[in-house]
Amino acid sequence: MSLDGYNFGYLDEQTKRMIRRAILKAVAVPGYQVPFASRDMPLPYGWGTGGIQVTAACIGPNDVLKVIDQGADDTTNAISIRHFFQKTTRVAVTEATEQATIIQTRHRTPETPLHEGQILVYQVPIPEPLRWLEPRETETRKMHALADYGVMHVKLYEDLARLGQIATSYNYPVLVNGRYVMAPSPIPKFDNPKLDRNPALQLFGAGREKRIYAVPPYTAVRSLDFEDHPFEIQQWDEVCGLCGAGDSYLDEVIIDDRGGKLFCCSDSDYCTRRRAAGHLGPHGRDAPEALRGP
Amino acid sequence: MYVAVKGGEQAIDAAHRWLAEERRGDPAVPELDVDQIEQQLKIACDRVMNEGSLYDRPLAALAIKQAQGDLIEAAFLLRAYRTTLPRFGYGEPLDTARMAIKRRISATYKDLPGGQVLGPTFDYTHRLLDFKLAAEGAVEPAPERPATVDEAVPRVVDILNHEGLIQAEPVENPDAQVGDLTREPLLFPAGREMRLQNLARGDEGFLLALGYSTQRGFGSTHPFVGEIRVGEVSVELVPGELGFPIDLGEIEVTECQLVNQFKGSKTEPPQFSRGYGLAFGHSERKAMAMALVDRALRAEEMGEETGLPAQDQEFVLYHSDNVQATGFVEHLKLPHYVDFQGELEGIRRMRAAASPIEDADQEAAE
Amino acid sequence: MSESRLLQVEGLTKRFGRTVACDDVSFDLWPGEVLAVVGESGSGKTTLLNAISGHVAPDAGRVLYRTRHEGVVDVLQLSEPARRLLMRTDWGLVHQNPRDGLRLAVSAGANIGERLMAVGDRHYGRIRGTALDWLGRIEIDTDRIDDRPQTFSGGMQQRLQIARNLVTGPRVVFMDEPTGGLDVSVQARLLDLLRQLVTRLSLSVVIVTHDLAVARLLSHRMMVMQRGRVVELGLTDQILDDPQHPYSQLLVASILQT
């Protein structure tokens, strides 16, 4: 299954060194977007090339890799990326969050709390949190340099004025280490609190936009809000239909043509282990097999 | 009954096998030979080399076969392959004045040293589908070509240069390292060499549209084709151990020099300004579009009014790479249901907050 | 610099190629006074404003400003972050075209509140309350707090721009032809509002205008510019009554005819 003629981790050592230098810079300035010379990869731009390059630069033969997309290990792109690393590194892979040393993720943080020594690599489409308010790169770089972030609160103000609440439900901007405003990638705001003072190293890779940024372990990460309208995470009335969890992010699954719904944990590993430990949700036995899994 | 399916390994395997079948097509039809593609779809190969940023026609032909003719997909294959190639160094600048000319035309002069050499061109063909091509047949040989002129054919810009009529290309620091788009991230404002590198691998269609827009008033340049030349040039490299250049071989390139309306001011005499395009293989449309956009991007340094799309560095240079563009556009096919769930929850909550009044009306009406 | 002068411009010069847009311009500004800079188009008035506020870098000169807590600084020597902070708190700049000084895509309330948010105000209710208060002061219906400036008339946009500048209580406001492009009756209303605000808030204002009538109505002192140079500087009433320089005489004569 391995790729012959390719270096460990696909990238040549010089390139990995270049990426690691960018990562070190990013760790030294939490939340600051470090430009790097992203390489053309065999997977398409926008499909995780930034995350892949960060993982490829960090991964060693003794690492254990977990790859998730939408919180699950068996979504098509997660499978594709995991195969890529199996082909180019032959490292051990796992679905169990606490056993992984490197976790590459698209659009979720794992429900299971991380521990020191783990690296969480986020795939980032648009690294610039100010992009929707200011299309020019030259201007946004200046705004970050001068901590000129008034315009971010203007957006939040507008939401409150028009809708009565802040409309942003994912990729919710955060203030890192009290200095840089950062885009946490399109994770639901539900996951934002997990970034704060996390014992793991969190790395963010944007391949197409050519930026790397980082949140070192135990760094303060605060979601932007107003004193009288504090940040709130999503809530459900339902629990997971399969395992009964009331504290995890739930996917809504349509199960019949009449709009019948089932809610289940987005984090497949979390849900599987809860069920293995005996927890059962209201549909634990009668949910469609495709959901229940093996 | 709808069943939510999270794709699995088996689905991906099956999909790849079906793709291979589609690529082969009807087994009763002879399989495409990579040589055939290289020889008979040469222009497609040239485009893939340009956008794949790699000069290797047989490889481009293979990529086209693998990609079933999807040229952007083929360029993607070359780009990914390129990443794995070791970098030996930088070649000497190509000396296009010493090109073995296949085709050379100028719209600014009726005749000039070296002459107007039409070469193999579609330009004056009548676009009538030739059904004879559907049946293969022998091709009438072209007339005897005059012997290649050995001495260098002077460039039109050099002719204009003798009178000082065309702007010199400013070289601030001749010893400075030339920027490398493949080794450094693009930062703005971008220097001319980074811009040209970006345009060289840029999507032909995108540059064509932008170039077109400058001709129709979305840009102030009024261009003339100073010269287009197509032919082979030598690639030379000075290895550190030897200290003198060695010839690595020839590549075919298309070079376009556009001459633009003179600009002048009270303090500076009027001169022609230029736009430059260079592409692998026989790629005139690409080289011309590149030259038009190159000139448009220089509007600010020329003191002209800016603000139109082709003059906007960030707009042009960020969106010219079709491999990046297709990746991001097509990534929308990936699952986004977690974020969508967040939006659903938000909308439901906002509607619930707004609806108590409606419910009261409803009750009163019942 | 004398204790009570707020702003002292010394020898400000700006060239574009061979044209000298501002030639050795000097003047003082005192607290609570309105200084009109008059002259026809091309006299260098707008360049002067841009040079003082740091939007173009002058070729020579100093702009000394007496800050609230840090004594006198040369604004031209300030670092970019310090200059931006100054422009957002102590100084205001009202553009001739209100669209240049507003965010058209966000509501009137957000436009007024932005400066507050930029300097760290994080209480939505208070920010909104301040915006409502200012809408009242600039005579815009408070119901329109969530409307976008695109839906406002030219006069309303200009008043909104003024409020956006004044919300952080600046001490010096620069205005570039604030009544330009407005209807005569709308102009009159705006000038009236400006006069009230200047008095009530003890603002110091440098107002650039080609219209002597505006200068007469609003300003205490006047500076006449011709081809980049200051040709006359003094009390507005005095200059209007008895202009000394031939160019001033020309300008005054034209106002008497309208």
Side-chain angles (χ1 to χ4, degrees):
Chain A
M1 231 240 289
S2 83
L3 278 182
D4 288 323
Y6 288 96
N7 194 32
F8 180 88
Y10 183 79
L11 298 170
D12 60 277
E13 292 303 314
Q14 288 283 55
T15 301
K16 287 194 215 170
R17 231 167 274 148
M18 177 273 293
I19 295 173
R20 286 196 288 259
R21 277 196 290 268
I23 293 175
L24 287 175
K25 229 183 254 184
V27 169
V29 190
Y32 166 72
Q33 300 164 54
V34 179
F36 81 108
S38 177
R39 296 285 188 263
D40 297 307
M41 300 293 283
L43 282 79
Y45 285 103
W47 297 51
T49 57
I52 291 169
Q53 287 178 80
V54 168
T55 299
C58 295
I59 199 163
N62 299 322
D63 274 302
V64 180
L65 178 69
K66 174 178 164 85
V67 183
I68 48 174
D69 182 348
Q70 311 296 292
D73 305 82
D74 61 348
T75 42
T76 42
N77 207 38
I79 293 171
S80 175
I81 293 174
R82 189 166 54 244
H83 277 181
F84 174 77
F85 279 111
Q86 284 176 294
K87 267 196 277 190
T88 57
T89 66
R90 313 197 124 200
V91 296
V93 297
T94 183
E95 297 191 7
T97 305
E98 77 279 6
Q99 284 174 25
T101 57
I102 299 180
I103 301 167
Q104 180 166 330
T105 177
R106 176 170 173 268
H107 294 190
R108 284 278 354 252
T109 53
E111 301 289 354
T112 309
L114 303 175
H115 55 257
E116 271 181 34
Q118 287 182 305
I119 300 179
L120 184 58
V121 179
Y122 293 82
Q123 296 175 205
V124 181
I126 305 276
E128 179 50 72
L130 304 170
R131 184 61 65 228
W132 310 115
L133 302 161
E134 177 48 69
R136 328 221 119 245
E137 174 72 8
T138 40
E139 189 49 36
T140 50
R141 281 188 82 76
K142 217 187 274 187
M143 289 161 88
H144 282 292
L146 302 176
D148 194 353
Y149 292 131
V151 74
M152 290 250 50
H153 276 90
V154 166
K155 169 163 195 315
L156 301 183
Y157 170 99
E158 279 295 89
D159 281 357
L160 284 171
R162 236 172 340 120
L163 307 164
Q165 50 199 277
I166 294 171
T168 311
S169 65
Y170 58 88
N171 204 11
Y172 193 105
V174 295
L175 185 66
V176 178
N177 205 30
R179 175 57 180 86
Y180 281 94
V181 169
M182 179 187 99
S185 85
I187 55 176
K189 62 178 181 172
F190 182 85
D191 286 341
N192 274 22
K194 299 193 187 72
L195 273 67
D196 186 33
R197 277 169 259 265
N198 197 310
L201 170 63
Q202 299 175 86
L203 301 178
F204 298 79
R208 192 182 44 85
E209 297 278 335
K210 304 178 184 19
R211 300 284 186 272
I212 285 175
Y213 47 103
V215 175
Y218 303 111
T219 304
V221 176
R222 251 211 78 168
S223 301
L224 301 184
D225 60 8
F226 285 101
E227 288 163 19
D228 51 340
H229 288 268
F231 173 76
E232 276 177 355
I233 61 175
Q234 287 113 335
Q235 313 238 320
W236 284 262
D237 294 327
E238 301 84 353
V239 297
C240 171
L242 301 178
C243 77
D247 60 350
S248 76
Y249 192 91
L250 300 180
D251 289 335
E252 183 173 317
V253 179
I254 309 292
I255 50 175
D256 59 45
D257 335 42
R258 278 160 290 124
K261 297 185 194 124
L262 175 62
F263 287 85
C264 52
C265 291
S266 135
D267 187 325
S268 54
D269 176 55
Y270 186 72
C271 193
T272 306
R273 252 131 25 84
R274 275 184 57 89
R275 280 181 280 141
H279 299 282
L280 217 51
H283 295 279
R285 288 185 224 287
D286 60 30
E289 178 150 359
L291 289 174
R292 272 183 290 127
Chain B
M1 174 172 113
Y2 294 135
V3 175
V5 177
K6 292 183 184 175
E9 314 234 355
Q10 289 175 333
I12 291 184
D13 273 337
H16 289 169
R17 276 181 279 127
W18 193 344
L19 182 67
E21 269 182 35
E22 293 265 302
R23 177 171 59 235
R24 179 61 185 85
D26 184 349
V29 173
E31 182 167 1
L32 259 186
D33 197 282
V34 170
D35 290 335
Q36 287 175 316
I37 299 175
E38 183 190 343
Q39 291 300 314
Q40 296 167 44
L41 294 182
K42 179 177 164 304
I43 295 179
C45 294
D46 290 348
R47 178 169 178 173
V48 169
M49 292 197 300
N50 277 311
E51 292 165 13
S53 241
L54 192 64
Y55 191 95
D56 190 322
R57 215 174 260 130
L59 221 54
L62 172 61
I64 291 174
K65 177 174 177 179
Q66 186 173 332
Q68 294 182 52
D70 181 336
L71 296 187
I72 294 181
E73 184 64 38
F76 186 3
L77 286 166
L78 279 197
R79 289 272 196 95
Y81 183 71
R82 187 187 191 284
T83 297
T84 66
L85 298 174
R87 171 73 69 91
F88 291 126
Y90 295 91
E92 294 296 288
L94 298 180
D95 189 355
T96 52
R98 291 185 15 236
M99 181 189 282
I101 300 241
K102 184 156 83 170
R103 170 165 158 76
R104 190 272 199 130
I105 53 163
S106 169
T108 49
Y109 291 100
K110 183 165 178 177
D111 201 1
L112 68 174
Q116 305 265 16
V117 181
L118 279 186
T121 174
F122 283 107
D123 283 354
Y124 303 103
T125 62
H126 299 160
R127 271 66 171 185
L128 303 166
L129 273 177
D130 185 355
F131 293 98
K132 293 204 299 300
L133 285 178
E136 296 148 31
V139 167
E140 225 180 83
E144 268 295 321
R145 286 185 276 270
T148 325
V149 178
D150 272 336
E151 73 259 26
V153 176
R155 288 185 286 232
V156 167
V157 284
D158 295 335
I159 296 170
L160 290 168
N161 237 349
H162 278 141
E163 279 183 77
L165 292 178
I166 192 154
Q167 265 189 335
E169 295 290 3
V171 180
E172 279 147 32
N173 185 358
D175 297 318
Q177 184 87 352
V178 173
D180 185 341
L181 186 67
T182 65
R183 287 289 181 272
E184 308 153 29
L186 185 63
L187 295 174
F188 292 93
R192 184 140 183 249
E193 81 274 24
M194 296 291 264
R195 301 194 313 245
L196 287 171
Q197 288 169 39
N198 178 297
L199 296 180
R201 51 165 55 185
D203 182 75
E204 183 175 307
F206 180 65
L207 295 184
L208 179 66
L210 287 173
Y212 180 43
S213 75
T214 67
Q215 292 180 273
R216 291 194 67 254
F218 284 88
S220 56
T221 65
H222 192 105
F224 293 88
V225 168
E227 178 159 8
I228 291 179
R229 51 171 69 194
V230 183
E232 292 194 330
V233 288
S234 287
V235 177
E236 297 185 341
L237 175 76
V238 179
E241 308 83 358
L242 293 180
F244 56 82
I246 57 171
D247 195 320
L248 296 180
E250 275 88 43
I251 61 172
E252 186 185 43
V253 296
T254 302
E255 184 188 53
C256 173
Q257 306 252 22
L258 282 184
V259 175
N260 293 83
Q261 245 175 5
F262 60 76
K263 71 157 197 114
S265 66
K266 284 197 197 106
T267 49
E268 287 162 42
Q271 278 183 310
F272 292 107
S273 55
R274 45 173 129 184
Y276 187 78
L278 184 71
F280 289 144
H282 192 162
S283 313
E284 287 174 43
R285 186 182 306 119
K286 172 61 180 281
M288 293 176 75
M290 178 173 163
L292 283 169
V293 177
D294 171 46
R295 178 58 181 81
L297 288 175
R298 301 180 74 189
E300 193 170 349
E301 100 196 32
M302 304 253 173
E304 292 161 357
E305 258 196 58
T306 58
L308 302 163
Q311 300 170 323
D312 185 329
Q313 270 198 29
E314 284 196 38
F315 180 75
V316 172
L317 302 178
Y318 265 146
H319 304 116
S320 62
D321 187 320
N322 57 23
V323 174
Q324 290 180 31
T326 196
F328 201 43
V329 166
E330 294 194 66
H331 108 283
L332 295 174
K333 294 181 280 190
L334 289 179
H336 284 77
Y337 52 79
V338 164
D339 291 339
F340 189 68
Q341 177 61 218
E343 297 284 85
L344 276 176
E345 195 256 356
I347 283 193
R348 283 172 183 154
R349 200 153 33 92
M350 284 188 258
R351 288 168 70 92
S355 74
I357 303 163
E358 293 165 21
D359 281 348
D361 284 350
Q362 188 78 347
E363 281 178 47
E366 275 158 15
Chain C
M1 175 162 126
S2 147
E3 276 308 315
S4 29
R5 255 182 299 195
L6 196 51
L7 184 71
Q8 184 181 356
V9 175
E10 273 179 12
L12 207 61
T13 302
K14 175 68 188 170
R15 284 178 213 98
F16 293 104
R18 276 201 302 208
T19 319
V20 185
C22 283
D23 195 353
D24 196 28
V25 175
S26 303
F27 65 89
D28 300 330
L29 189 68
W30 303 77
E33 82 159 336
V34 179
L35 175 75
V37 179
V38 305
E40 63 200 6
S41 33
S43 56
K45 321 188 293 292
T46 300
T47 306
L48 177 65
L49 220 58
N50 287 336
I52 296 173
S53 59
H55 284 85
V56 307
D59 298 308
R62 299 197 299 169
V63 175
L64 302 174
Y65 173 68
R66 180 161 53 85
T67 64
R68 282 182 225 260
H69 309 294
E70 273 120 42
V72 176
V73 301
D74 181 359
V75 171
L76 301 177
Q77 300 299 323
L78 286 179
S79 66
E80 178 80 6
R83 201 186 61 79
R84 283 204 181 193
L85 186 62
L86 185 74
M87 291 304 300
R88 209 173 284 144
T89 52
D90 254 27
W91 283 18
L93 179 57
V94 176
H95 295 87
Q96 177 171 3
N97 187 343
R99 301 172 105 77
D100 293 332
L102 290 173
R103 278 195 199 276
L104 297 171
V106 306
S107 66
N111 265 283
I112 297 176
E114 179 170 355
R115 276 200 179 192
L116 296 171
M117 291 186 260
V119 295
D121 207 324
R122 291 287 175 266
H123 194 282
Y124 173 79
R126 259 200 320 260
I127 294 166
R128 194 173 172 81
T130 306
L132 285 166
D133 178 54
W134 270 98
L135 285 175
R137 290 203 233 185
I138 56 174
E139 295 166 20
I140 291 182
D141 194 345
T142 50
D143 277 348
R144 307 216 55 185
I145 185 173
D146 296 323
D147 291 346
R148 296 202 180 138
Q150 284 157 346
T151 63
F152 289 8
S153 68
M156 285 167 76
Q157 286 181 352
Q158 195 54 292
R159 279 178 283 151
L160 185 63
Q161 198 201 167
I162 289 167
R164 182 173 153 87
N165 272 277
L166 297 183
V167 72
T168 42
R171 295 198 290 162
V172 180
V173 182
F174 299 92
M175 300 195 193
D176 189 359
E177 309 269 11
T179 57
L182 296 175
D183 243 333
V184 173
S185 61
V186 176
Q187 274 190 39
R189 193 173 165 199
L190 184 66
L191 288 172
D192 208 35
L193 177 70
L194 281 175
R195 213 169 31 157
Q196 288 175 41
L197 287 172
V198 165
T199 325
R200 239 180 258 155
L201 304 173
S202 308
L203 291 176
S204 305
V205 179
V206 176
I207 180 166
V208 158
T209 180
H210 67 277
D211 188 347
L212 281 184
V214 170
R216 178 170 57 183
L217 196 62
L218 282 186
S219 67
H220 304 100
R221 287 195 304 138
M222 199 159 87
M223 187 166 91
V224 183
M225 286 185 72
Q226 185 192 26
R227 286 202 278 272
R229 313 205 95 242
V230 179
V231 298
E232 194 158 351
L233 173 60
L235 294 175
T236 303
D237 292 335
Q238 266 177 16
I239 297 182
L240 289 176
D241 262 342
D242 185 20
Q244 297 297 303
H245 190 275
Y247 181 66
S248 316
Q249 291 165 355
L250 206 68
L251 286 180
V252 172
S254 70
I255 189 188
L256 292 172
Q257 275 160 31
T258 46

